[in-house]
PDB file of all heavy atoms in Angstrom:
ATOM      1  N   PRO A   1      85.266  34.801  43.470  1.00  0.00           N
ATOM      2  CA  PRO A   1      84.640  35.578  44.511  1.00  0.00           C
ATOM      3  C   PRO A   1      83.232  35.068  44.759  1.00  0.00           C
ATOM      4  O   PRO A   1      82.429  34.770  43.827  1.00  0.00           O
ATOM      5  CB  PRO A   1      84.582  37.025  43.947  1.00  0.00           C
ATOM      6  CG  PRO A   1      85.802  37.012  42.942  1.00  0.00           C
ATOM      7  CD  PRO A   1      85.737  35.647  42.395  1.00  0.00           C
ATOM      8  N   GLY A   2      82.816  34.875  46.080  1.00  0.00           N
ATOM      9  CA  GLY A   2      81.584  34.439  46.447  1.00  0.00           C
ATOM     10  C   GLY A   2      81.330  32.986  46.295  1.00  0.00           C
ATOM     11  O   GLY A   2      80.146  32.446  46.544  1.00  0.00           O
ATOM     12  N   ARG A   3      82.288  32.185  45.894  1.00  0.00           N
ATOM     13  CA  ARG A   3      82.154  30.726  45.690  1.00  0.00           C
ATOM     14  C   ARG A   3      82.613  30.002  46.982  1.00  0.00           C
ATOM     15  O   ARG A   3      83.841  29.949  47.188  1.00  0.00           O
ATOM     16  CB  ARG A   3      82.929  30.311  44.464  1.00  0.00           C
ATOM     17  CG  ARG A   3      82.684  28.893  44.071  1.00  0.00           C
ATOM     18  CD  ARG A   3      83.490  28.493  42.931  1.00  0.00           C
ATOM     19  NE  ARG A   3      83.354  27.061  42.547  1.00  0.00           N
ATOM     20  CZ  ARG A   3      82.403  26.603  41.675  1.00  0.00           C
ATOM     21  NH1 ARG A   3      81.562  27.422  41.098  1.00  0.00           N
ATOM     22  NH2 ARG A   3      82.297  25.358  41.451  1.00  0.00           N
ATOM     23  N   PRO A   4      81.783  29.406  47.719  1.00  0.00           N
ATOM     24  CA  PRO A   4      82.159  28.649  48.921  1.00  0.00           C
ATOM     25  C   PRO A   4      82.459  27.212  48.645  1.00  0.00           C
ATOM     26  O   PRO A   4      81.601  26.285  48.931  1.00  0.00           O
ATOM     27  CB  PRO A   4      80.863  28.792  49.859  1.00  0.00           C
ATOM     28  CG  PRO A   4      79.757  28.823  48.933  1.00  0.00           C
ATOM     29  CD  PRO A   4      80.264  29.539  47.615  1.00  0.00           C
ATOM     30  N   ASP A   5      83.591  26.925  48.092  1.00  0.00           N
ATOM     31  CA  ASP A   5      83.879  25.541  47.680  1.00  0.00           C
ATOM     32  C   ASP A   5      84.238  24.668  48.828  1.00  0.00           C
ATOM     33  O   ASP A   5      83.771  23.515  48.955  1.00  0.00           O
ATOM     34  CB  ASP A   5      85.062  25.526  46.678  1.00  0.00           C
ATOM     35  CG  ASP A   5      84.683  26.217  45.351  1.00  0.00           C
ATOM     36  OD1 ASP A   5      83.472  26.138  44.955  1.00  0.00           O
ATOM     37  OD2 ASP A   5      85.580  26.784  44.700  1.00  0.00           O
ATOM     38  N   MET A   6      85.212  25.058  49.702  1.00  0.00           N
ATOM     39  CA  MET A   6      85.652  24.238  50.815  1.00  0.00           C
ATOM     40  C   MET A   6      85.563  25.007  52.067  1.00  0.00           C
ATOM     41  O   MET A   6      86.161  26.023  52.258  1.00  0.00           O
ATOM     42  CB  MET A   6      87.156  23.779  50.500  1.00  0.00           C
ATOM     43  CG  MET A   6      87.546  22.665  51.475  1.00  0.00           C
ATOM     44  SD  MET A   6      89.359  22.628  51.594  1.00  0.00           S
ATOM     45  CE  MET A   6      89.642  24.012  52.762  1.00  0.00           C
ATOM     46  N   PRO A   7      84.825  24.419  53.074  1.00  0.00           N
ATOM     47  CA  PRO A   7      84.721  25.085  54.372  1.00  0.00           C
ATOM     48  C   PRO A   7      85.926  25.003  55.224  1.00  0.00           C
ATOM     49  O   PRO A   7      86.716  24.053  55.209  1.00  0.00           O
ATOM     50  CB  PRO A   7      83.568  24.361  55.068  1.00  0.00           C
ATOM     51  CG  PRO A   7      83.596  22.985  54.426  1.00  0.00           C
ATOM     52  CD  PRO A   7      84.083  23.170  53.032  1.00  0.00           C
ATOM     53  N   CYS A   8      86.266  26.125  55.929  1.00  0.00           N
ATOM     54  CA  CYS A   8      87.269  26.124  56.914  1.00  0.00           C
ATOM     55  C   CYS A   8      86.610  25.929  58.293  1.00  0.00           C
ATOM     56  O   CYS A   8      86.141  26.835  58.915  1.00  0.00           O
ATOM     57  CB  CYS A   8      88.055  27.450  56.917  1.00  0.00           C
ATOM     58  SG  CYS A   8      88.992  27.740  55.371  1.00  0.00           S
ATOM     59  N   GLY A   9      86.591  24.675  58.789  1.00  0.00           N
ATOM     60  CA  GLY A   9      85.893  24.388  60.019  1.00  0.00           C
ATOM     61  C   GLY A   9      84.382  24.421  59.898  1.00  0.00           C
ATOM     62  O   GLY A   9      83.885  24.117  58.756  1.00  0.00           O
ATOM     63  N   SER A  10      83.697  24.780  60.927  1.00  0.00           N
ATOM     64  CA  SER A  10      82.276  24.769  61.003  1.00  0.00           C
ATOM     65  C   SER A  10      81.642  26.153  60.859  1.00  0.00           C
ATOM     66  O   SER A  10      82.355  27.075  61.022  1.00  0.00           O
ATOM     67  CB  SER A  10      81.758  24.116  62.297  1.00  0.00           C
ATOM     68  OG  SER A  10      82.279  22.796  62.476  1.00  0.00           O
ATOM     69  N   LEU A  11      80.329  26.167  60.541  1.00  0.00           N
ATOM     70  CA  LEU A  11      79.654  27.472  60.550  1.00  0.00           C
ATOM     71  C   LEU A  11      79.615  27.955  61.984  1.00  0.00           C
ATOM     72  O   LEU A  11      79.442  27.240  62.893  1.00  0.00           O
ATOM     73  CB  LEU A  11      78.166  27.275  60.087  1.00  0.00           C
ATOM     74  CG  LEU A  11      77.979  27.025  58.609  1.00  0.00           C
ATOM     75  CD1 LEU A  11      76.556  26.798  58.350  1.00  0.00           C
ATOM     76  CD2 LEU A  11      78.569  28.202  57.721  1.00  0.00           C
ATOM     77  N   VAL A  12      79.884  29.292  62.099  1.00  0.00           N
ATOM     78  CA  VAL A  12      79.844  29.876  63.420  1.00  0.00           C
ATOM     79  C   VAL A  12      78.426  30.492  63.599  1.00  0.00           C
ATOM     80  O   VAL A  12      78.035  31.381  62.927  1.00  0.00           O
ATOM     81  CB  VAL A  12      80.901  31.055  63.575  1.00  0.00           C
ATOM     82  CG1 VAL A  12      80.917  31.678  64.922  1.00  0.00           C
ATOM     83  CG2 VAL A  12      82.242  30.482  63.220  1.00  0.00           C
ATOM     84  N   THR A  13      77.725  29.923  64.596  1.00  0.00           N
ATOM     85  CA  THR A  13      76.277  30.201  64.707  1.00  0.00           C
ATOM     86  C   THR A  13      75.998  31.336  65.671  1.00  0.00           C
ATOM     87  O   THR A  13      74.854  31.794  65.786  1.00  0.00           O
ATOM     88  CB  THR A  13      75.490  28.931  65.060  1.00  0.00           C
ATOM     89  OG1 THR A  13      75.962  28.420  66.253  1.00  0.00           O
ATOM     90  CG2 THR A  13      75.669  27.934  63.951  1.00  0.00           C
ATOM     91  N   LYS A  14      76.957  31.632  66.619  1.00  0.00           N
ATOM     92  CA  LYS A  14      76.693  32.611  67.576  1.00  0.00           C
ATOM     93  C   LYS A  14      77.962  33.204  68.160  1.00  0.00           C
ATOM     94  O   LYS A  14      79.002  32.588  67.944  1.00  0.00           O
ATOM     95  CB  LYS A  14      75.863  32.030  68.772  1.00  0.00           C
ATOM     96  CG  LYS A  14      76.551  30.895  69.518  1.00  0.00           C
ATOM     97  CD  LYS A  14      75.622  30.412  70.665  1.00  0.00           C
ATOM     98  CE  LYS A  14      76.389  29.265  71.425  1.00  0.00           C
ATOM     99  NZ  LYS A  14      75.553  28.677  72.483  1.00  0.00           N
ATOM    100  N   GLU A  15      77.899  34.328  68.804  1.00  0.00           N
ATOM    101  CA  GLU A  15      79.014  34.987  69.373  1.00  0.00           C
ATOM    102  C   GLU A  15      79.685  34.031  70.394  1.00  0.00           C
ATOM    103  O   GLU A  15      79.094  33.327  71.136  1.00  0.00           O
ATOM    104  CB  GLU A  15      78.540  36.251  70.144  1.00  0.00           C
ATOM    105  CG  GLU A  15      79.705  36.995  70.775  1.00  0.00           C
ATOM    106  CD  GLU A  15      80.659  37.738  69.794  1.00  0.00           C
ATOM    107  OE1 GLU A  15      80.152  37.987  68.708  1.00  0.00           O
ATOM    108  OE2 GLU A  15      81.732  37.976  70.245  1.00  0.00           O
ATOM    109  N   GLY A  16      81.012  33.958  70.283  1.00  0.00           N
ATOM    110  CA  GLY A  16      81.770  33.146  71.174  1.00  0.00           C
ATOM    111  C   GLY A  16      81.980  31.695  70.791  1.00  0.00           C
ATOM    112  O   GLY A  16      82.639  30.960  71.362  1.00  0.00           O
ATOM    113  N   GLN A  17      81.413  31.360  69.531  1.00  0.00           N
ATOM    114  CA  GLN A  17      81.620  30.003  69.143  1.00  0.00           C
ATOM    115  C   GLN A  17      82.381  29.997  67.846  1.00  0.00           C
ATOM    116  O   GLN A  17      82.050  30.501  66.765  1.00  0.00           O
ATOM    117  CB  GLN A  17      80.133  29.403  68.743  1.00  0.00           C
ATOM    118  CG  GLN A  17      80.195  27.954  68.332  1.00  0.00           C
ATOM    119  CD  GLN A  17      78.869  27.495  67.858  1.00  0.00           C
ATOM    120  OE1 GLN A  17      78.275  28.058  66.911  1.00  0.00           O
ATOM    121  NE2 GLN A  17      78.350  26.431  68.455  1.00  0.00           N
ATOM    122  N   ALA A  18      83.584  29.377  67.908  1.00  0.00           N
ATOM    123  CA  ALA A  18      84.448  29.331  66.744  1.00  0.00           C
ATOM    124  C   ALA A  18      85.692  28.450  67.109  1.00  0.00           C
ATOM    125  O   ALA A  18      85.700  27.809  68.171  1.00  0.00           O
ATOM    126  CB  ALA A  18      85.053  30.685  66.377  1.00  0.00           C
ATOM    127  N   ALA A  19      86.669  28.350  66.191  1.00  0.00           N
ATOM    128  CA  ALA A  19      87.783  27.461  66.376  1.00  0.00           C
ATOM    129  C   ALA A  19      88.583  28.047  67.666  1.00  0.00           C
ATOM    130  O   ALA A  19      89.018  27.241  68.513  1.00  0.00           O
ATOM    131  CB  ALA A  19      88.700  27.430  65.225  1.00  0.00           C
ATOM    132  N   PHE A  20      88.751  29.316  67.697  1.00  0.00           N
ATOM    133  CA  PHE A  20      89.448  30.035  68.815  1.00  0.00           C
ATOM    134  C   PHE A  20      88.659  31.207  69.166  1.00  0.00           C
ATOM    135  O   PHE A  20      88.424  32.043  68.285  1.00  0.00           O
ATOM    136  CB  PHE A  20      90.864  30.402  68.428  1.00  0.00           C
ATOM    137  CG  PHE A  20      91.719  29.281  67.857  1.00  0.00           C
ATOM    138  CD1 PHE A  20      91.837  29.146  66.524  1.00  0.00           C
ATOM    139  CD2 PHE A  20      92.347  28.404  68.685  1.00  0.00           C
ATOM    140  CE1 PHE A  20      92.644  28.139  65.982  1.00  0.00           C
ATOM    141  CE2 PHE A  20      93.057  27.362  68.182  1.00  0.00           C
ATOM    142  CZ  PHE A  20      93.310  27.232  66.873  1.00  0.00           C
ATOM    143  N   ARG A  21      88.184  31.324  70.419  1.00  0.00           N
ATOM    144  CA  ARG A  21      87.461  32.592  70.724  1.00  0.00           C
ATOM    145  C   ARG A  21      87.390  32.743  72.229  1.00  0.00           C
ATOM    146  O   ARG A  21      87.204  31.795  72.957  1.00  0.00           O
ATOM    147  CB  ARG A  21      86.076  32.508  70.160  1.00  0.00           C
ATOM    148  CG  ARG A  21      85.262  33.847  70.316  1.00  0.00           C
ATOM    149  CD  ARG A  21      85.856  34.857  69.407  1.00  0.00           C
ATOM    150  NE  ARG A  21      84.955  36.046  69.286  1.00  0.00           N
ATOM    151  CZ  ARG A  21      85.194  37.183  69.879  1.00  0.00           C
ATOM    152  NH1 ARG A  21      86.284  37.394  70.605  1.00  0.00           N
ATOM    153  NH2 ARG A  21      84.347  38.242  69.687  1.00  0.00           N
ATOM    154  N   ALA A  22      87.556  33.942  72.694  1.00  0.00           N
ATOM    155  CA  ALA A  22      87.314  34.319  74.150  1.00  0.00           C
ATOM    156  C   ALA A  22      86.942  35.776  74.183  1.00  0.00           C
ATOM    157  O   ALA A  22      87.303  36.520  73.292  1.00  0.00           O
ATOM    158  CB  ALA A  22      88.594  33.971  74.963  1.00  0.00           C
ATOM    159  N   PRO A  23      86.268  36.159  75.215  1.00  0.00           N
ATOM    160  CA  PRO A  23      85.939  37.544  75.360  1.00  0.00           C
ATOM    161  C   PRO A  23      87.160  38.500  75.378  1.00  0.00           C
ATOM    162  O   PRO A  23      88.194  38.074  75.897  1.00  0.00           O
ATOM    163  CB  PRO A  23      85.135  37.671  76.686  1.00  0.00           C
ATOM    164  CG  PRO A  23      84.661  36.269  76.922  1.00  0.00           C
ATOM    165  CD  PRO A  23      85.773  35.359  76.353  1.00  0.00           C
ATOM    166  N   GLY A  24      87.040  39.654  74.840  1.00  0.00           N
ATOM    167  CA  GLY A  24      88.174  40.591  74.867  1.00  0.00           C
ATOM    168  C   GLY A  24      87.964  41.674  73.828  1.00  0.00           C
ATOM    169  O   GLY A  24      87.402  41.415  72.787  1.00  0.00           O
ATOM    170  N   LYS A  25      88.434  42.837  74.201  1.00  0.00           N
ATOM    171  CA  LYS A  25      88.288  43.951  73.227  1.00  0.00           C
ATOM    172  C   LYS A  25      89.066  43.677  71.923  1.00  0.00           C
ATOM    173  O   LYS A  25      90.234  43.313  72.022  1.00  0.00           O
ATOM    174  CB  LYS A  25      88.735  45.217  73.885  1.00  0.00           C
ATOM    175  CG  LYS A  25      88.649  46.534  72.991  1.00  0.00           C
ATOM    176  CD  LYS A  25      89.029  47.685  73.802  1.00  0.00           C
ATOM    177  CE  LYS A  25      89.066  48.964  72.830  1.00  0.00           C
ATOM    178  NZ  LYS A  25      87.801  49.221  72.165  1.00  0.00           N
ATOM    179  N   ASP A  26      88.445  43.808  70.817  1.00  0.00           N
ATOM    180  CA  ASP A  26      89.108  43.700  69.531  1.00  0.00           C
ATOM    181  C   ASP A  26      89.534  42.259  69.319  1.00  0.00           C
ATOM    182  O   ASP A  26      90.452  42.012  68.455  1.00  0.00           O
ATOM    183  CB  ASP A  26      90.221  44.598  69.303  1.00  0.00           C
ATOM    184  CG  ASP A  26      89.733  46.062  69.287  1.00  0.00           C
ATOM    185  OD1 ASP A  26      88.575  46.337  68.924  1.00  0.00           O
ATOM    186  OD2 ASP A  26      90.521  46.941  69.651  1.00  0.00           O
ATOM    187  N   ALA A  27      89.048  41.245  70.051  1.00  0.00           N
ATOM    188  CA  ALA A  27      89.503  39.866  69.812  1.00  0.00           C
ATOM    189  C   ALA A  27      88.898  39.326  68.554  1.00  0.00           C
ATOM    190  O   ALA A  27      87.619  39.490  68.367  1.00  0.00           O
ATOM    191  CB  ALA A  27      89.135  39.033  71.027  1.00  0.00           C
ATOM    192  N   PRO A  28      89.648  38.678  67.682  1.00  0.00           N
ATOM    193  CA  PRO A  28      89.052  38.169  66.371  1.00  0.00           C
ATOM    194  C   PRO A  28      88.354  36.816  66.631  1.00  0.00           C
ATOM    195  O   PRO A  28      88.646  36.108  67.666  1.00  0.00           O
ATOM    196  CB  PRO A  28      90.269  38.020  65.464  1.00  0.00           C
ATOM    197  CG  PRO A  28      91.298  37.696  66.437  1.00  0.00           C
ATOM    198  CD  PRO A  28      91.098  38.503  67.685  1.00  0.00           C
ATOM    199  N   ILE A  29      87.634  36.413  65.686  1.00  0.00           N
ATOM    200  CA  ILE A  29      87.090  35.043  65.652  1.00  0.00           C
ATOM    201  C   ILE A  29      87.991  34.291  64.610  1.00  0.00           C
ATOM    202  O   ILE A  29      88.131  34.805  63.487  1.00  0.00           O
ATOM    203  CB  ILE A  29      85.648  35.020  65.134  1.00  0.00           C
ATOM    204  CG1 ILE A  29      84.763  35.810  66.130  1.00  0.00           C
ATOM    205  CG2 ILE A  29      85.103  33.542  65.043  1.00  0.00           C
ATOM    206  CD1 ILE A  29      83.349  36.099  65.566  1.00  0.00           C
ATOM    207  N   VAL A  30      88.630  33.280  65.071  1.00  0.00           N
ATOM    208  CA  VAL A  30      89.687  32.610  64.234  1.00  0.00           C
ATOM    209  C   VAL A  30      89.218  31.287  63.811  1.00  0.00           C
ATOM    210  O   VAL A  30      88.930  30.405  64.642  1.00  0.00           O
ATOM    211  CB  VAL A  30      91.009  32.570  64.942  1.00  0.00           C
ATOM    212  CG1 VAL A  30      92.108  32.056  64.044  1.00  0.00           C
ATOM    213  CG2 VAL A  30      91.466  33.956  65.396  1.00  0.00           C
ATOM    214  N   LEU A  31      89.216  31.048  62.529  1.00  0.00           N
ATOM    215  CA  LEU A  31      88.848  29.624  62.028  1.00  0.00           C
ATOM    216  C   LEU A  31      90.122  29.055  61.351  1.00  0.00           C
ATOM    217  O   LEU A  31      90.935  29.797  60.834  1.00  0.00           O
ATOM    218  CB  LEU A  31      87.697  29.718  61.008  1.00  0.00           C
ATOM    219  CG  LEU A  31      86.404  30.091  61.591  1.00  0.00           C
ATOM    220  CD1 LEU A  31      86.121  31.590  61.565  1.00  0.00           C
ATOM    221  CD2 LEU A  31      85.221  29.348  60.965  1.00  0.00           C
ATOM    222  N   ASP A  32      90.143  27.736  61.333  1.00  0.00           N
ATOM    223  CA  ASP A  32      91.351  26.996  60.801  1.00  0.00           C
ATOM    224  C   ASP A  32      91.019  26.354  59.480  1.00  0.00           C
ATOM    225  O   ASP A  32      90.161  25.484  59.401  1.00  0.00           O
ATOM    226  CB  ASP A  32      91.821  25.971  61.872  1.00  0.00           C
ATOM    227  CG  ASP A  32      93.142  25.428  61.544  1.00  0.00           C
ATOM    228  OD1 ASP A  32      93.795  25.821  60.625  1.00  0.00           O
ATOM    229  OD2 ASP A  32      93.537  24.576  62.284  1.00  0.00           O
ATOM    230  N   CYS A  33      91.800  26.753  58.441  1.00  0.00           N
ATOM    231  CA  CYS A  33      91.639  26.136  57.107  1.00  0.00           C
ATOM    232  C   CYS A  33      92.625  24.920  56.961  1.00  0.00           C
ATOM    233  O   CYS A  33      92.703  24.389  55.901  1.00  0.00           O
ATOM    234  CB  CYS A  33      91.916  27.175  56.075  1.00  0.00           C
ATOM    235  SG  CYS A  33      90.714  28.508  56.032  1.00  0.00           S
ATOM    236  N   SER A  34      93.430  24.586  58.008  1.00  0.00           N
ATOM    237  CA  SER A  34      94.202  23.399  58.119  1.00  0.00           C
ATOM    238  C   SER A  34      95.232  23.257  56.986  1.00  0.00           C
ATOM    239  O   SER A  34      95.547  22.175  56.570  1.00  0.00           O
ATOM    240  CB  SER A  34      93.252  22.169  58.073  1.00  0.00           C
ATOM    241  OG  SER A  34      92.366  22.240  59.221  1.00  0.00           O
ATOM    242  N   GLY A  35      95.721  24.365  56.460  1.00  0.00           N
ATOM    243  CA  GLY A  35      96.789  24.336  55.487  1.00  0.00           C
ATOM    244  C   GLY A  35      96.262  23.989  54.087  1.00  0.00           C
ATOM    245  O   GLY A  35      97.064  23.614  53.166  1.00  0.00           O
ATOM    246  N   ALA A  36      94.906  24.096  53.831  1.00  0.00           N
ATOM    247  CA  ALA A  36      94.421  23.737  52.501  1.00  0.00           C
ATOM    248  C   ALA A  36      94.958  24.739  51.496  1.00  0.00           C
ATOM    249  O   ALA A  36      95.053  25.972  51.807  1.00  0.00           O
ATOM    250  CB  ALA A  36      92.910  23.838  52.554  1.00  0.00           C
ATOM    251  N   PRO A  37      95.297  24.262  50.283  1.00  0.00           N
ATOM    252  CA  PRO A  37      95.862  25.129  49.301  1.00  0.00           C
ATOM    253  C   PRO A  37      94.762  26.131  48.764  1.00  0.00           C
ATOM    254  O   PRO A  37      93.602  25.739  48.522  1.00  0.00           O
ATOM    255  CB  PRO A  37      96.318  24.223  48.150  1.00  0.00           C
ATOM    256  CG  PRO A  37      95.518  23.004  48.345  1.00  0.00           C
ATOM    257  CD  PRO A  37      95.266  22.888  49.805  1.00  0.00           C
TER     258      PRO A  37
END
């Protein structure tokens, strides 16, 4: 817990910036871990 060993994509620095994102009610910010174990 709390150990950031391997990043899933990039740091998200602002609203609307992520692997998948668009405006919308209850829309999640989705990052891709690319199948890492």
Side-chain angles (χ1 to χ4, degrees):
R3 186 180 176 91
D5 292 330
M6 193 202 78
C8 295
S10 302
L11 289 177
V12 183
T13 60
K14 63 181 179 180
E15 178 71 23
Q17 182 186 60
F20 307 99
R21 188 70 167 106
K25 181 177 174 57
D26 296 333
I29 301 168
V30 183
L31 291 93
D32 191 2
C33 296
S34 302

